[in-house]
Amino acid sequence: MTTKILIGSLDQIPKGEARNFMVRDREIAVYHTHAGEVYATQPGCPHKMGPLADGLIGGATILCPLHDRLFDLRTGQNLSGDCTDIQIYPVSLTEDGRIAMELEPAT
Amino acid sequence: MTKRKLVVVGNGMAGARAVEEVLSRGGADQFDIVMFGDEPYGNYNRILLSNILSGAQDASEIFINPLDWYAENNITLHAGSPVVKIDRAARIVTSEAGVEEPYDKLLIATGSRAFIPPIPGVFGPDQKLKSGVFGFRNIDDCNGIVAQAQKSTRAAVIGGGLLGLEAARGLLNHGCEVHVVHLAKHLMEMQLDTPGGALLKASMEKMGVNVHLEKSTTEVLGEEHVSGLAFKDGSTIECDMLVVAAGIRPNAEIGRSAGLTVERAIVVDNHMRAIDDPDVYVVGECAQHRGKVYGLVAPLWDQGKVFADHITQRNLDAAYHGSKLATKLKVMGVELASMGITEPLEGDELIQFSEPKKGTYKKLIVRDGRLVGGILMGDISKAAFLMQAFDRDSPLPEERLSLLFDFGAPSQKVTIDEMPADMQVCNCNGVTKSAIGACVASGAKTTKAVMDATRAGKGCGSCKSLVGEVVEWFCGGEVEEDPSVHYYVPCVPLTKPQLIAAAREQGLKSVSSIFQALAGGVEDAASKPALASLLATIWADEYEDERDARFINDRVHGNIQKDGTFSVVPEMPGGVCTPDELMRIASVAVKYNVPLVKLTGGQRIDLVGIPKDQLPGVWSDLGMPAGSAWGKSYRTCKSCIGTEFCRFGLGDSMGLAAKIEKRFRGIDSPAKLKLATTGCPRNCSEALIKDVGFVAVGDGKWEIYIGGAGGAHVRKGDLMCTVDSEEDAIALGGRFMQYYRENAKWRERTYDFVPRIGIERIRAVIVDDSDGIADALDVAMQASVDAAYDPWKEALAPKTANQFASVIETAEV
């Protein structure tokens, strides 16, 4: 059974950026897109452990700041064809703008 | 919804195209469509009649929509059935044959007819054209001319305009001696100036066409059949056939008899509706919009789109704003393109090249940096580019020479390689290079298939060979096409100058607004920093800084390292600091347990390996301004000892370096800018291999070198100029940097930019102000200087939520 955890509120992440959250001893990168959507992934790029939360968001993609690996935030799929995929976590918004996450990986 | 009935009077290019546009908008679900045409055919491309006359094409090849097309699209066509009456009160049209069709909406697209001037003898006793005399307007005219030409020896053409010359050239192919009789002082006076007209006359004569200028025809001679022409000056010529190509007249009578307002043609509003009746639309050569009646094909395509958008209610705001006229002459052996005005007005810029021996003449008229007129003869390789610039009113490259010639592009292949993806190949139908590419990619592998699918080459036909070459190029297989190579960023199909113009024009001041307005709302992560840099450059303090558009370095003002930590480099102009500052740096290094303290190549001290959340503390404890060591921006200015202690120094290099750093610190640029000043030509601070280097040469003079590099590329800078004072050194160095900021591609270092533009050209712009933009560059740079601030102040006032947080602890509920 999965548990939903309220990890914080959306206004802790500027629009178009991401922040790392410590969720039960696990670091998770949480993204807030320009469209107002929220996504969560593993924090490090599989290539050289680049901090994905420091990357550039475009639509629902994240570009790693170290070597430009590109991932789809919705699926975790590597889009630049030069890296393995990343782990994503199911995440949603409550009506009052808080971020709810399931700790069990979705992929 | 019950279907309404759309009746179209006129089955020419305008009427049929307008109907196609309606169908492409799903109009078949809204309307039952009925069309009336005078001619007993489907719809054909009237522009290609000259090809039939010359024998280059067969009549069957110029049909756009054969009769089957009407049946396939459930269109009722009354061909060969001219409409004689429109009863607007009863909403019924009646044809000559007595067919009556009621309508809900009516489209009048009756076009125009050949104008036959009332010259004595041009008509026979039956009020029809005298035997051997022809108009040149439709397939029947064409067939008649061809048949007559077989048995004729001398043909005359009245009219030395576009159509007359095309007719003359066609007649040559039938073995006739051809005479063109023209009223004006030179040929094609609407499209050409006097020298251009003279050159065209020479070309036509070389081909074998006899040209008679300033000849006013007073009589068409011959009893039964034409035998010659008599002129006002008393002279005559003999001929046994005559083609009259003296212009066209709109077929607007039907509008007048229906009670619509008719001036030169039927007057319409911006939705292409007759101004008297919201249910009656008019498009094509029978329509008069804002006082203008068009006789070329391109305006008619635009009008058809507006009509279709409006009548299908796809866009009730669709409005036609008039068209700019550009044309190519389709005469075999003569290359000619013309657009806009033919003579400059006072204050216009005139660019001309003439080589009469080769039949080459090029003339461009530029107003406010935009093309307002142009004539190209002989060599029209630049026509596509220029016609597009003219049509879109886009700013021209400052390199005027490149408007007239393609240097270093000997073969067509190179030209297609370099053709921007959004360049129109077919101007008539607005088909771009990339549209052809997409069509090839979707499986069309022949020119014909591409032409059918895109309509490229199906307007005037003059671009057909180019379409073929572009198709071939795309089919080439091995050729790697990246249409975005000319774009500033791949997701916006514009070059940097175009993008700057668009951003200024539309007031786009944030990266997200660029994506919304110019990239179809699609964000591209990799394009964001490039766009942010450009917007900061052009808007200065008006730029809306969205931090998410910045690379992480510019969000936290340090250079990210491989382990996700950052480096901190405080400002140290010319490599100079006070002992107190040095002690503070040391204390910070101890306090924060900084893993590495390193001198940089820019004569500064780098504290490497600082975690993000420690940055604000480090900056506050340092108490020094940011050294801008992380971004695509002005970085630093190093220096030698200069005059203060050095026994060889000729200029105060440390002092100048400090002034430069104070002025330009933190200024965004396409790539990093590393500067240096050196007190004498011994070049101890390596000013000769810097993006901008200042070398003291004595007497207060400084040499300014640009485009140098000592990195991945090693390149000695080019000497831009020598100035007399520090003030001038700063002013001209700054002016160059601004020119670079506005014109370099993203990430293009000065060592690529300077050779690309050329030092002579840069010197002309920056030092001699050849383009009159020096003041504007200085003003823009000053605005950026005024807008710059020390980002390390964000230590106390973060710009975004959790700006420096490495990780946020979750307070579980």
Side-chain angles (χ1 to χ4, degrees):
Chain A
M1 186 185 132
T2 56
T3 341
K4 277 201 175 176
I5 306 169
L6 293 172
I7 61 169
S9 63
L10 195 60
D11 56 17
Q12 288 178 283
I13 313 171
K15 204 168 229 192
E17 293 191 44
R19 295 289 182 263
N20 286 322
F21 284 75
M22 189 61 78
V23 186
R24 290 201 183 153
D25 299 333
R26 194 184 303 186
E27 205 172 307
I28 304 226
V30 185
Y31 307 81
H32 179 188
T33 70
H34 261 285
E37 294 156 343
V38 61
Y39 298 100
T41 73
Q42 69 183 67
C45 177
H47 172 229
K48 297 276 182 185
M49 291 311 289
L52 291 173
D54 284 345
L56 286 158
I57 296 177
T61 65
I62 180 70
L63 187 71
C64 177
L66 291 194
H67 307 99
D68 292 349
R69 262 60 180 172
L70 187 70
F71 303 93
D72 189 327
L73 290 172
R74 294 166 300 193
T75 61
Q77 193 192 353
N78 171 249
L79 297 174
S80 46
D82 47 10
C83 191
T84 54
D85 296 347
I86 53 172
Q87 187 94 67
I88 60 165
Y89 297 90
V91 66
S92 58
L93 280 178
T94 64
E95 278 180 11
D96 56 353
R98 284 189 292 175
I99 305 163
M101 209 183 79
E102 290 170 26
L103 258 191
E104 293 309 309
T107 55
Chain B
M1 195 173 87
T2 55
K3 281 213 224 176
R4 290 173 299 163
K5 191 150 152 194
L6 169 63
V7 172
V8 181
V9 182
N11 184 34
M13 295 177 78
R17 178 57 168 252
V19 168
E20 283 188 2
E21 296 284 356
V22 168
L23 294 176
S24 75
R25 286 163 180 73
D29 298 333
Q30 295 182 35
F31 294 103
D32 286 318
I33 302 174
V34 177
M35 298 184 75
F36 286 90
D38 285 6
E39 295 180 67
Y41 314 109
N43 168 251
Y44 60 87
N45 188 338
R46 203 177 297 284
I47 303 170
L48 298 180
L49 284 174
S50 54
N51 287 4
I52 297 191
L53 186 56
S54 68
Q57 277 184 305
D58 184 76
S60 64
E61 291 176 48
I62 70 165
F63 279 94
I64 300 171
N65 299 310
L67 293 171
D68 297 349
W69 176 83
Y70 299 85
E72 282 163 19
N73 288 287
N74 294 315
I75 295 167
T76 308
L77 172 66
H78 301 289
S81 184
V83 166
V84 292
K85 185 179 167 198
I86 297 171
D87 182 341
R88 288 199 291 126
R91 295 167 171 252
I92 291 176
V93 302
T94 311
S95 81
E96 200 174 53
V99 177
E100 292 194 343
E101 288 279 6
Y103 66 83
D104 295 301
K105 299 281 179 185
L106 182 69
L107 173 66
I108 301 178
T110 44
S112 58
R113 60 181 177 277
F115 169 59
I116 308 292
I119 304 166
V122 73
F123 294 107
D126 55 356
Q127 294 309 305
K128 290 190 176 158
L129 288 172
K130 180 179 276 177
S131 170
V133 180
F134 300 88
F136 182 32
R137 188 64 193 161
N138 57 38
I139 287 191
D140 290 347
D141 291 339
C142 228
N143 290 339
I145 293 171
V146 171
Q148 181 67 44
Q150 311 300 330
K151 40 191 177 177
S152 296
T153 50
R154 293 187 105 199
V157 176
I158 294 183
L162 205 58
L163 211 56
L165 295 179
E166 290 181 5
R169 182 64 186 81
L171 284 165
L172 273 187
N173 282 17
H174 296 283
C176 298
E177 182 183 318
V178 181
H179 295 262
V180 170
V181 177
H182 193 50
L183 192 57
K185 286 182 177 167
H186 64 81
L187 294 173
M188 284 181 71
E189 74 279 4
M190 300 301 285
Q191 291 91 5
L192 295 180
D193 62 355
T194 309
L199 202 58
L200 178 59
K201 177 169 183 275
S203 300
M204 296 302 295
E205 285 172 341
K206 211 167 154 188
M207 246 177 253
V209 174
N210 302 282
V211 179
H212 308 269
L213 296 174
E214 296 184 79
K215 287 280 184 193
S216 172
T217 309
T218 50
E219 192 179 354
V220 177
L221 306 171
E223 286 298 313
E224 300 274 303
H225 189 90
V226 60
S227 65
L229 298 174
F231 303 114
K232 202 174 177 181
D233 60 10
S235 62
T236 57
I237 59 168
E238 285 180 20
C239 65
D240 49 9
M241 74 176 288
L242 171 66
V243 176
V244 183
I248 53 173
R249 287 292 177 273
N251 290 322
E253 291 76 8
I254 189 79
R256 189 173 284 121
S257 69
L260 299 172
T261 302
V262 177
E263 292 172 3
R264 285 190 296 141
I266 305 169
V267 180
V268 297
D269 63 14
N270 289 346
H271 302 306
M272 302 312 296
R273 288 182 306 191
I275 55 172
D276 320 272
D277 189 335
D279 291 324
V280 177
Y281 294 81
V282 187
V283 297
E285 295 171 348
C286 59
Q288 175 179 328
H289 176 261
R290 293 185 191 170
K292 281 191 173 168
V293 180
Y294 297 97
L296 292 174
V297 74
L300 166 168
W301 298 159
D302 294 338
Q303 294 176 358
K305 284 180 188 155
V306 170
F307 155 74
D309 274 341
H310 196 261
I311 198 170
T312 60
Q313 303 189 2
R314 170 77 74 95
N315 175 10
L316 285 174
D317 295 326
Y320 177 65
H321 298 296
S323 298
K324 303 175 81 178
L325 298 180
T327 188
K328 282 187 192 172
L329 180 66
K330 297 187 313 305
V331 168
M332 213 183 302
V334 178
E335 299 277 19
L336 170 65
S338 146
M339 60 211 92
I341 61 175
T342 58
E343 292 294 348
L345 301 178
E346 203 180 322
D348 288 350
E349 187 184 335
L350 182 63
I351 300 154
Q352 277 190 108
F353 174 81
S354 171
E355 193 180 0
K357 238 178 151 177
K358 279 194 177 167
T360 304
Y361 178 59
K362 304 182 182 198
K363 171 176 176 176
L364 301 178
I365 303 167
V366 177
R367 187 176 300 161
D368 301 328
R370 263 72 167 176
L371 191 62
V372 293
I375 296 168
L376 296 175
M377 295 184 69
D379 167 19
I380 60 166
S381 55
K382 300 295 283 184
F385 168 78
L386 291 170
M387 282 171 134
Q388 183 163 349
F390 169 75
D391 186 54
R392 295 189 181 174
D393 210 22
S394 49
L396 297 172
E398 281 162 16
E399 175 74 88
R400 299 294 194 234
L401 210 53
S402 68
L403 296 174
L404 296 181
F405 304 100
D406 275 320
F407 289 109
S411 69
Q412 186 67 43
K413 182 159 180 306
V414 177
T415 307
I416 295 175
D417 275 342
E418 289 176 349
M419 183 189 284
D422 67 337
M423 168 89 81
Q424 283 194 10
V425 175
C426 173
N427 282 321
C428 291
N429 287 332
V431 183
T432 61
K433 178 186 175 191
S434 63
I436 293 177
C439 187
V440 171
S442 70
K445 300 295 180 200
T446 66
T447 303
K448 185 177 177 307
V450 170
M451 284 173 60
D452 287 348
T454 63
R455 307 190 137 271
K458 290 201 157 188
C460 75
S462 65
C463 63
K464 250 166 94 176
S465 63
L466 181 60
V467 172
E469 283 163 13
V470 173
V471 170
E472 196 181 304
W473 186 84
F474 275 110
C475 288
E478 290 166 17
V479 191
E480 269 183 53
E481 161 64 353
D482 182 6
S484 62
V485 289
H486 299 283
Y487 304 160
Y488 178 66
V489 289
C491 62
V492 180
L494 297 173
T495 63
K496 184 166 181 177
Q498 290 169 336
L499 183 53
I500 289 176
R504 284 198 172 128
E505 208 166 280
Q506 302 179 36
L508 306 174
K509 298 178 182 175
S510 68
V511 172
S512 58
S513 69
I514 293 267
F515 284 124
Q516 282 309 324
L518 303 174
V522 181
E523 281 180 18
D524 175 45
S527 300
K528 287 163 107 180
L531 292 170
S533 167
L534 181 136
L535 292 176
T537 298
I538 64 174
W539 290 112
D541 65 332
E542 289 179 67
Y543 163 59
E544 287 166 25
D545 187 10
E546 292 167 332
R547 280 298 165 83
D548 69 280
R550 295 290 197 169
F551 187 59
I552 186 64
N553 287 6
D554 290 299
R555 278 184 256 159
V556 300
H557 319 305
N559 203 343
I560 192 167
Q561 305 296 310
K562 61 188 277 187
D563 60 354
T565 63
F566 293 85
S567 70
V568 170
V569 181
E571 186 176 273
M572 210 174 275
V576 179
C577 71
T578 65
D580 187 46
E581 286 167 338
L582 195 57
M583 289 204 299
R584 288 210 300 276
I585 292 170
S587 307
V588 164
V590 171
K591 176 175 172 184
Y592 290 88
N593 203 17
V594 173
L596 178 70
V597 181
K598 169 87 175 69
L599 294 182
T600 71
Q603 300 180 338
R604 309 190 285 182
I605 296 175
D606 195 351
L607 303 174
V608 191
I610 315 236
K612 202 195 311 181
D613 47 12
Q614 287 184 1
L615 290 171
V618 168
W619 299 337
S620 299
D621 289 352
L622 283 171
M624 296 168 74
S628 308
W630 60 81
K632 308 279 179 240
S633 69
Y634 169 91
R635 289 289 186 86
T636 184
C637 184
K638 56 196 264 191
S639 78
C640 64
I641 298 275
T643 46
E644 209 165 325
F645 289 91
C646 178
R647 61 203 161 100
F648 301 114
L650 298 170
D652 179 12
S653 55
M654 284 194 297
L656 180 58
K659 286 176 191 162
I660 287 170
E661 184 116 333
K662 291 266 178 300
R663 179 165 176 77
F664 298 114
R665 57 187 173 192
I667 301 277
D668 287 281
S669 66
K672 57 191 171 191
L673 283 167
K674 294 178 162 180
L675 281 65
T677 60
T678 187
C680 79
R682 286 175 185 76
N683 193 30
C684 292
S685 58
E686 300 163 347
L688 292 178
I689 52 163
K690 290 291 158 192
D691 292 294
V692 186
F694 302 84
V695 180
V697 292
D699 297 335
K701 291 183 193 298
W702 294 87
E703 290 177 341
I704 304 178
Y705 289 83
I706 57 173
H713 287 64
V714 179
R715 181 177 191 273
K716 186 187 172 192
D718 295 321
L719 178 62
M720 182 172 75
C721 59
T722 306
V723 295
D724 293 328
S725 66
E726 286 187 353
E727 288 69 36
D728 286 352
I730 292 170
L732 283 158
R735 191 180 296 163
F736 163 70
M737 285 191 274
Q738 183 64 25
Y739 183 67
Y740 165 68
R741 296 173 78 206
E742 292 182 13
N743 292 284
K745 299 171 189 167
W746 177 238
R747 291 183 173 171
E748 181 181 31
R749 290 289 301 268
T750 63
Y751 57 74
D752 286 325
F753 176 75
V754 171
R756 175 165 73 84
I757 305 293
I759 183 64
E760 293 82 9
R761 167 78 185 141
I762 291 175
R763 189 181 293 130
V765 172
I766 305 300
V767 184
D768 305 326
D769 194 16
S770 62
D771 290 17
I773 59 170
D775 287 345
L777 291 171
D778 293 348
V779 167
M781 178 52 93
Q782 186 61 47
S784 288
V785 168
D786 293 341
Y789 62 97
D790 178 8
W792 283 2
K793 295 215 160 81
E794 287 172 15
L796 299 173
K799 174 99 174 167
T800 60
N802 298 302
Q803 185 174 355
F804 302 105
S806 293
V807 65
I808 299 170
E809 293 296 333
T810 302
E812 272 188 52
V813 225

